[in-house]
Amino acid sequence: MNNNNIDLTKELSRIIQTDDIFRQPDVAHIFIHHHKVIQSHLLPGLEIKVKEYEDHIEVNTTVEKDSKIDKPVHMCFGMLPEQGIQKIIIHNDIRENASASFLAHCAFPNAVDIQHIMEGTIQVGKNAHYRYLERHVHGLYGGVKVYPHSQIQLAEGAHFYSEFELIKGRAGLIDIQYEANCEANSVLEMIARISGKGNDQIMIKEIGHLKGERARGFLNTKVAATDHAKAEVYNKLTASAAYARGHVSCIEIIKDNGIVSAIPIVEVNHPKAHITHEAALGSVDSKQLQTLMARGLTENEATDLIIQGLLS
Amino acid sequence: MKNILEVKDLSFSTNGKNILKNINIEVWEGYVHAIVGPNGAGKSTLASAIMGLEGYRDYQGSIYLKGEEISKLSIDERARRGITLGWQEPARYEGLLIKDFLKASARNKSNDFIFKQLERVGLDPEEYANRAVDKTLSGGERKKVELASILAMDPDLVLLDEPDSGIDAETLDKMFEIIKEQKKNKRTMVLITHSLAVLKQADHAFVFCNGEILMKAEAQKVIPYFKNKCLPCKHKNIPDEKGAR
Ligand SMILES: Nc1ncnc2c1ncn2[C@@H]1O[C@H](COP(=O)(O)OP(=O)(O)O)[C@@H](O)[C@H]1O
Ligand SMILES: [Mg+2]
């Protein structure tokens, strides 16, 4: 590893606050800056093959059959410059009976005009477990456009859990599109917690198709929009097999001139399937704000704290 | 006697109703004061004006904090100059942990310090630090958390609105101890109350009725007056329809 890579790795890990992972031999990690791998550490049963190109990077991750990766695999994607495009084509293959969880950190601390494009396909094999947590650390100016798009296949009995979180810093533009096909007895859980301010724009489109008997799906979105931020949530579950169960929930919080529109869609094509949905609208009330301000917090600090609580 | 807070010729009306009528108050640094009066007298309105709360900023007259006129300052600017208000009915926060709520205002953000403030108000940190400041807290617990957050902030001047409401006898004794401790530490307190027990904690008191001050004197003199004249009086204060703030 050259010095330049060491510096980049240090800087990224400082931003995402994960210095200690380098000291733990049982924690796998990979750091990708722009379209280059700058540091990685793998474990038996976990394979990550990377192809670096000028305009994108391809990351193929495989967790071997029956392999259990105990500690979360840290994946850090980031860019320190103010401008640029980071495009990642990612294929995750979690083979039969395997289990692994991934913690993706996306850091764009100096963003003025950055695009982060993630095109993924995820396969979770029979009875395999897959957890994916994505945390974003953005700067204060909102110059990031984030496009996480994924196609997901869950085999029989597979378990998929994803959490997308962006509650500190500015969201910029976020356009999430996940679509999952779920076979019998599989479980799909998707959680998104996003807070927008300034003129941030948030679009969330999560779709789950419960195709096999007893497949279960939960789409859970919490979004906050303050200032002039806009959020659109379009979450959809379809169920076409007996005993498929699902729930779509959306909590929206608005303040100032923020706008949130949430459209839960449920489509049931089998008499023995059942899907419910709910949407709740919250707001930051003035007594909550004024109490914190009376303790010395600015209105913005108070708003952030209240929203972090509501989204937790 | 040094005035930490002075209210001069303060009048406030809203919706065509005169709620505060030419109020003059001096709060001495390092002493415990009480503002006593029946429900609807205007006590919370005065506290709201002093803190600069929304809907209560449009008053006539002046308010001086440590000699500085603060009427144009926002709530947080006032707070950062050393004043805070403990609400009668404190706000609830879904998902916000008690320890994070306290940290937000604390001058020392360490867990040790935060936990100590919880202990001071009789809340076991083990049990409470990671609970949310939400609807699952009882009224009394929420009041204790409010007091702990004020202790964590440790401002020079505290206005406590009805500190005894929703609080059991044991906790009340604890609160009275804290008031004594704070006084020893040269902190200034204004207790807003319609209770004789709270009035007895004060050095000095203002009797409030119908938006006016009837009497200011040392608490020893106010106690018999309040007991004999105010408590039995069926006067013309119109209770707050919107309930406690
Ligand atoms: N925003 C408001 N609009 C209308 N009336 C108000 C408002 N705030 C207070 N009042 C009225 O002013 C009077 C004094 O209320 P308050 O200050 O709450 O009394 P206290 O705290 O002494 O019980 C009450 O009659 C109350 O209804
Ligand atoms: Mg009151």
Side-chain angles (χ1 to χ4, degrees):
Chain A
M1 195 162 67
N2 63 35
N3 284 340
N4 190 21
N5 282 0
I6 294 173
D7 289 347
L8 280 173
T9 308
K10 271 194 187 150
E11 181 62 8
L12 283 177
S13 68
R14 186 187 62 78
I15 293 158
I16 62 177
Q17 301 177 343
T18 54
D19 300 328
D20 54 324
I21 61 174
F22 302 116
R23 270 175 259 122
Q24 301 177 34
D26 55 342
V27 175
H29 64 256
I30 178 163
F31 275 62
I32 294 174
H33 184 265
H34 200 195
H35 298 136
K36 285 210 169 351
V37 175
I38 49 173
Q39 150 113 18
S40 71
H41 169 64
L42 299 180
L43 292 171
L46 170 72
E47 184 187 85
I48 303 182
K49 282 192 183 156
V50 177
K51 287 185 199 153
E52 297 172 349
Y53 299 91
E54 185 76 15
D55 63 344
H56 72 280
I57 183 164
E58 223 177 282
V59 182
N60 292 289
T61 305
T62 308
V63 182
E64 298 297 345
K65 182 165 180 274
D66 299 322
S67 293
K68 317 263 180 230
I69 312 289
D70 292 333
K71 304 237 171 115
V73 179
H74 288 258
M75 305 184 104
C76 176
F77 306 104
M79 275 180 75
L80 296 180
E82 296 177 355
Q83 295 186 346
I85 298 177
Q86 181 180 46
K87 181 171 174 180
I88 300 151
I89 313 274
I90 198 161
H91 304 289
N92 288 344
D93 194 357
I94 317 302
R95 305 240 163 105
E96 192 175 328
N97 248 331
S99 85
S101 78
F102 293 82
L103 190 52
H105 309 271
C106 301
F108 307 97
N110 309 312
V112 174
D113 181 12
I114 295 245
Q115 286 187 49
H116 170 73
I117 301 168
M118 172 97 73
E119 281 171 15
T121 51
I122 301 167
Q123 259 154 358
V124 188
K126 203 170 164 187
N127 296 322
H129 280 236
Y130 175 81
R131 284 173 74 87
Y132 181 81
L133 273 59
E134 180 163 337
R135 300 240 147 87
H136 280 248
V137 181
H138 289 186
L140 299 172
Y141 311 108
V144 195
K145 298 190 174 99
V146 180
Y147 302 90
H149 295 183
S150 271
Q151 284 289 333
I152 300 146
Q153 294 291 335
L154 305 188
E156 251 185 72
H159 201 131
F160 176 98
Y161 176 93
S162 76
E163 211 178 302
F164 186 102
E165 184 181 285
L166 199 167
I167 54 181
K168 285 185 181 144
R170 287 277 306 277
L173 181 146
I174 291 202
D175 174 7
I176 297 182
Q177 294 185 29
Y178 292 157
E179 183 162 15
N181 288 309
C182 313
E183 297 303 330
N185 293 306
S186 64
V187 180
L188 170 75
E189 278 181 81
M190 288 180 182
I191 294 175
R193 285 195 286 260
I194 304 179
S195 170
K197 37 172 109 69
N199 56 359
D200 291 347
Q201 285 190 49
I202 299 163
M203 273 159 295
I204 301 173
K205 192 172 184 179
E206 294 173 346
I207 303 176
H209 302 289
L210 307 177
K211 292 182 167 167
E213 280 190 13
R214 289 176 216 281
R216 280 157 291 158
F218 307 93
L219 307 178
N220 185 335
T221 302
K222 293 183 177 186
V223 276
T226 64
D227 303 327
H228 287 88
K230 258 192 196 164
E232 272 176 49
V233 182
Y234 171 96
N235 284 353
K236 177 173 173 178
L237 272 183
T238 70
S240 52
Y243 311 110
R245 292 268 177 285
H247 186 67
V248 182
S249 106
C250 181
I251 294 178
E252 314 155 31
I253 296 136
I254 50 170
K255 182 173 171 279
D256 313 315
N257 297 309
I259 299 177
V260 178
S261 59
I263 309 167
I265 300 180
V266 299
E267 228 175 76
V268 179
N269 305 316
H270 194 285
K272 287 188 174 157
H274 187 68
I275 297 183
T276 51
H277 69 86
E278 72 182 88
L281 192 78
S283 65
V284 175
D285 93 12
S286 77
K287 189 167 173 180
Q288 292 175 327
L289 269 178
Q290 295 189 73
T291 302
L292 290 169
M293 290 169 74
R295 300 290 135 76
L297 279 73
T298 63
E299 184 172 345
N300 284 338
E301 289 167 342
T303 304
D304 282 354
L305 192 64
I306 295 165
I307 287 179
Q308 276 172 37
L310 289 167
L311 297 189
S312 71
Chain B
M1 230 60 86
K2 197 171 154 202
N3 291 338
I4 188 166
L5 179 80
E6 266 180 85
V7 174
K8 281 204 175 140
D9 302 325
L10 188 88
S11 296
F12 175 75
S13 52
T14 188
N15 301 324
K17 186 174 164 193
N18 296 329
I19 300 176
L20 299 176
K21 300 161 193 165
N22 205 42
I23 304 292
N24 284 281
I25 276 182
E26 307 77 32
V27 172
W28 305 331
E29 192 172 327
Y31 286 84
V32 181
H33 303 256
I35 294 179
V36 281
N39 274 329
K43 305 182 297 294
S44 294
T45 303
L46 176 62
S48 305
I50 293 171
M51 202 63 232
L53 303 189
E54 209 178 290
Y56 298 89
R57 300 172 59 87
D58 214 358
Y59 48 74
Q60 276 107 53
S62 339
I63 301 174
Y64 296 90
L65 180 64
K66 302 176 189 172
E68 180 190 10
E69 220 294 323
I70 56 171
S71 295
K72 290 207 162 60
L73 301 184
S74 63
I75 303 170
D76 52 314
E77 286 166 333
R78 294 180 199 206
R80 285 196 292 274
R81 282 164 174 72
I83 183 172
T84 197
L85 167 66
W87 266 254
Q88 177 174 349
E89 282 283 342
R92 309 280 179 156
Y93 299 84
E94 205 183 309
L96 178 59
L97 302 184
I98 289 178
K99 66 174 182 205
D100 293 332
F101 177 64
L102 299 200
K103 267 182 202 169
S105 52
R107 44 168 65 179
N108 174 345
K109 314 265 183 211
S110 75
N111 275 342
D112 278 358
F113 179 77
I114 299 295
F115 288 7
K116 200 163 150 215
Q117 308 315 315
L118 285 173
E119 278 165 6
R120 281 177 79 186
V121 300
L123 295 175
D124 178 6
E126 291 285 316
E127 190 185 334
Y128 285 92
N130 288 311
R131 278 185 64 178
V133 193
D134 62 10
K135 293 186 188 79
T136 63
L137 294 177
S138 73
E141 287 169 331
R142 178 63 189 89
K143 290 282 270 201
K144 291 187 209 177
V145 171
E146 189 74 353
L147 188 59
S149 109
I150 291 170
L151 292 174
M153 176 188 178
D154 194 21
D156 303 320
L157 171 61
V158 179
L159 314 172
L160 286 180
D161 200 353
E162 310 281 1
D164 60 331
S165 77
I167 284 228
D168 58 59
E170 195 188 332
T171 309
L172 199 58
D173 287 341
K174 188 157 253 143
M175 181 180 292
F176 291 163
E177 263 171 49
I178 290 172
I179 290 172
K180 289 198 181 84
E181 267 173 48
Q182 290 296 89
K183 192 189 161 186
K184 254 193 222 135
N185 296 333
K186 303 264 184 289
R187 302 290 180 265
T188 311
M189 270 160 295
V190 177
L191 311 175
I192 297 166
T193 186
H194 60 269
S195 132
L196 195 59
V198 176
L199 169 59
K200 285 181 177 163
Q201 306 306 310
D203 303 309
H204 189 85
F206 307 91
V207 180
F208 231 78
C209 183
N210 205 21
E212 288 174 274
I213 295 200
L214 295 188
M215 180 181 186
K216 19 178 144 170
E218 55 198 88
Q220 285 313 316
K221 289 191 180 134
V222 171
I223 290 166
Y225 178 92
F226 184 68
K227 206 164 154 184
N228 300 327
K229 295 253 167 71
C230 296
L231 288 181
C233 165
K234 295 202 177 15
H235 51 73
K236 50 199 181 305
N237 290 294
I238 304 149
D240 194 343
E241 291 151 31
K242 292 201 287 191
R245 256 167 291 134

